[in-house]
Amino acid sequence: MMSRNRKRFRMIRFLHTADWQIGKPFGGFEPDVRAELRAERFAVVARIAALARDEGCAAILVAGDAFDDNTIGDRDIVRTLDAMAGFPGPWVMLPGNHDAALPVSVWTRIRAGGALPVDLRIADTPDITMLADGRLAVLAAPLTRRHEGQDVTEWFDRAETPAGAARVGLAHGAVANRLPEAAESGNPISDRRAETARLDYLALGDWHGFLEVAPRTVYSGTPEADRFTSNAPGYAALVEIALPGEGARVRRLDTGRLHWASLEVFVDNAVEALDEAMATLADPLRSLVSLKLAGTVSLHGRMAMQDRLSYWGSRLFALRTDESGLYDRPEAADFERMEISGFVRAAMERLRARAEDAADPQREAAALALRLAYVEHRRQQAAT
């Protein structure tokens, strides 16, 4: 028979997010792109707050790595708290491996900063936070250092919570036996924790894609993609618990604005192949593209390719290009376009022969010299 507490239970809805990585440096990009990427981390927090407000959530649970490092600047902390203000709270924030609960950390700095614009509960000790008028018990497993050898969620199994309250775990780490080997190097979490701890839901951080990795066990992923991967970043989890002990209903909400795409294009002297690949992007201005080119091109084709790369570089949010698989294949027409003769023509032909000789140890150097000479000559022709 259903207990009196269960009869009185009203459905709980909350938002689960993680891995904001506020302050991530985004090395490898140009300074202006880095600045925009860092700004997007604050913008997505504001979108999360608005979603929680619009969906009538009782709380937002942040499962670690809200900050990329414990040494981030005070301005980044202030901007984060300001972005959170669209949802007054409560926000339950868990220290992860990037922002672990060290004796001096971003969390101690927030506490020392005084009044906050939101109801923020810093879950930096293994404890239970009661929310939603006692209907929701959040069991937190914070990281107190970057790498833990033991499963810090073990205490969930023994934790006592009020009768009739939903039990939700909040943790950051790698669920054993469920993720790629590279993701299981530290901070292990049992893949049976939701079962052994009698959890209605286990909210996880660390894996940057949205993934229901085990029963009632979900990674929300990073809300805004931050690398060239295809593991479903750019979401938050909207969680509803109708009755304690019966699990949760989870809905994936879009939060990301930018799209990170890895493209491999085989051109083989057909510049049009590059345009065809770029045409697959839904929104170029919001796309960061890692482009790998392969095939062979004439010298004229190489120049045309560079022109198209410049064109797309100005229309994409960011473009990274790997041309290591692209090889020059000079053609007779290249030299006809140069309109050269005599000694210069003979020197260019010798470079061409060396560039085409697979046994020549200076093959790549000859190809580069030929390309540079061709480009410079064509530029001089254009100038006159």
PDB file of all heavy atoms in Angstrom, residues 104-105 114 153 164 224 236 260 308 345:
ATOM      1  N   VAL A 104      42.145  26.178  -0.407  1.00  0.00           N
ATOM      2  CA  VAL A 104      41.921  27.474  -1.050  1.00  0.00           C
ATOM      3  C   VAL A 104      41.476  27.176  -2.480  1.00  0.00           C
ATOM      4  O   VAL A 104      42.205  26.566  -3.255  1.00  0.00           O
ATOM      5  CB  VAL A 104      43.200  28.330  -1.062  1.00  0.00           C
ATOM      6  CG1 VAL A 104      42.939  29.644  -1.804  1.00  0.00           C
ATOM      7  CG2 VAL A 104      43.670  28.614   0.360  1.00  0.00           C
ATOM      8  N   SER A 105      40.271  27.582  -2.801  1.00  0.00           N
ATOM      9  CA  SER A 105      39.702  27.237  -4.096  1.00  0.00           C
ATOM     10  C   SER A 105      38.765  28.333  -4.562  1.00  0.00           C
ATOM     11  O   SER A 105      38.527  29.325  -3.857  1.00  0.00           O
ATOM     12  CB  SER A 105      38.933  25.912  -3.990  1.00  0.00           C
ATOM     13  OG  SER A 105      37.762  26.102  -3.189  1.00  0.00           O
ATOM     14  N   GLY A 114      31.059  37.536  -0.029  1.00  0.00           N
ATOM     15  CA  GLY A 114      29.897  38.224   0.527  1.00  0.00           C
ATOM     16  C   GLY A 114      28.600  37.832  -0.137  1.00  0.00           C
ATOM     17  O   GLY A 114      28.434  36.708  -0.614  1.00  0.00           O
ATOM     18  N   THR A 153      31.466   8.045  -4.148  1.00  0.00           N
ATOM     19  CA  THR A 153      30.002   7.927  -4.008  1.00  0.00           C
ATOM     20  C   THR A 153      29.594   6.743  -3.132  1.00  0.00           C
ATOM     21  O   THR A 153      28.394   6.504  -2.933  1.00  0.00           O
ATOM     22  CB  THR A 153      29.321   7.766  -5.385  1.00  0.00           C
ATOM     23  OG1 THR A 153      29.667   6.496  -5.958  1.00  0.00           O
ATOM     24  CG2 THR A 153      29.738   8.873  -6.337  1.00  0.00           C
ATOM     25  N   GLY A 164       9.889   9.219   2.148  1.00  0.00           N
ATOM     26  CA  GLY A 164       9.051   9.894   1.167  1.00  0.00           C
ATOM     27  C   GLY A 164       9.765  10.913   0.316  1.00  0.00           C
ATOM     28  O   GLY A 164       9.161  11.498  -0.579  1.00  0.00           O
ATOM     29  N   GLU A 224      27.771  23.744 -23.724  1.00  0.00           N
ATOM     30  CA  GLU A 224      28.251  24.394 -24.943  1.00  0.00           C
ATOM     31  C   GLU A 224      29.502  23.652 -25.388  1.00  0.00           C
ATOM     32  O   GLU A 224      30.471  23.555 -24.633  1.00  0.00           O
ATOM     33  CB  GLU A 224      28.564  25.871 -24.687  1.00  0.00           C
ATOM     34  CG  GLU A 224      29.028  26.651 -25.907  1.00  0.00           C
ATOM     35  CD  GLU A 224      27.922  26.818 -26.945  1.00  0.00           C
ATOM     36  OE1 GLU A 224      26.967  27.578 -26.711  1.00  0.00           O
ATOM     37  OE2 GLU A 224      28.047  26.172 -28.014  1.00  0.00           O
ATOM     38  N   ALA A 236      21.443  20.146 -21.680  1.00  0.00           N
ATOM     39  CA  ALA A 236      21.223  19.991 -20.249  1.00  0.00           C
ATOM     40  C   ALA A 236      20.106  18.973 -20.082  1.00  0.00           C
ATOM     41  O   ALA A 236      19.351  18.709 -21.030  1.00  0.00           O
ATOM     42  CB  ALA A 236      20.845  21.319 -19.596  1.00  0.00           C
ATOM     43  N   TRP A 260      30.860  22.433 -33.500  1.00  0.00           N
ATOM     44  CA  TRP A 260      32.248  22.080 -33.800  1.00  0.00           C
ATOM     45  C   TRP A 260      32.231  20.894 -34.755  1.00  0.00           C
ATOM     46  O   TRP A 260      31.746  19.816 -34.403  1.00  0.00           O
ATOM     47  CB  TRP A 260      33.002  21.720 -32.530  1.00  0.00           C
ATOM     48  CG  TRP A 260      33.144  22.847 -31.542  1.00  0.00           C
ATOM     49  CD1 TRP A 260      32.153  23.591 -30.989  1.00  0.00           C
ATOM     50  CD2 TRP A 260      34.370  23.339 -30.987  1.00  0.00           C
ATOM     51  NE1 TRP A 260      32.670  24.516 -30.122  1.00  0.00           N
ATOM     52  CE2 TRP A 260      34.027  24.388 -30.100  1.00  0.00           C
ATOM     53  CE3 TRP A 260      35.713  22.987 -31.145  1.00  0.00           C
ATOM     54  CZ2 TRP A 260      34.983  25.081 -29.374  1.00  0.00           C
ATOM     55  CZ3 TRP A 260      36.677  23.680 -30.418  1.00  0.00           C
ATOM     56  CH2 TRP A 260      36.316  24.722 -29.556  1.00  0.00           C
ATOM     57  N   ARG A 308      39.866  29.791 -51.715  1.00  0.00           N
ATOM     58  CA  ARG A 308      38.622  29.298 -51.126  1.00  0.00           C
ATOM     59  C   ARG A 308      38.738  29.173 -49.615  1.00  0.00           C
ATOM     60  O   ARG A 308      37.774  29.409 -48.872  1.00  0.00           O
ATOM     61  CB  ARG A 308      38.238  27.950 -51.735  1.00  0.00           C
ATOM     62  CG  ARG A 308      37.941  27.981 -53.203  1.00  0.00           C
ATOM     63  CD  ARG A 308      37.002  29.115 -53.581  1.00  0.00           C
ATOM     64  NE  ARG A 308      35.649  28.934 -53.048  1.00  0.00           N
ATOM     65  CZ  ARG A 308      34.725  29.884 -53.016  1.00  0.00           C
ATOM     66  NH1 ARG A 308      35.011  31.111 -53.451  1.00  0.00           N
ATOM     67  NH2 ARG A 308      33.512  29.629 -52.537  1.00  0.00           N
ATOM     68  N   ARG A 345      62.693  28.907 -66.742  1.00  0.00           N
ATOM     69  CA  ARG A 345      61.844  27.759 -67.081  1.00  0.00           C
ATOM     70  C   ARG A 345      62.583  26.448 -66.820  1.00  0.00           C
ATOM     71  O   ARG A 345      62.009  25.496 -66.280  1.00  0.00           O
ATOM     72  CB  ARG A 345      61.424  27.850 -68.547  1.00  0.00           C
ATOM     73  CG  ARG A 345      60.572  26.679 -69.055  1.00  0.00           C
ATOM     74  CD  ARG A 345      59.230  26.628 -68.347  1.00  0.00           C
ATOM     75  NE  ARG A 345      58.381  25.569 -68.849  1.00  0.00           N
ATOM     76  CZ  ARG A 345      57.395  25.737 -69.744  1.00  0.00           C
ATOM     77  NH1 ARG A 345      57.160  26.956 -70.243  1.00  0.00           N
ATOM     78  NH2 ARG A 345      56.653  24.737 -70.136  1.00  0.00           N
TER      79      ARG A 345
END
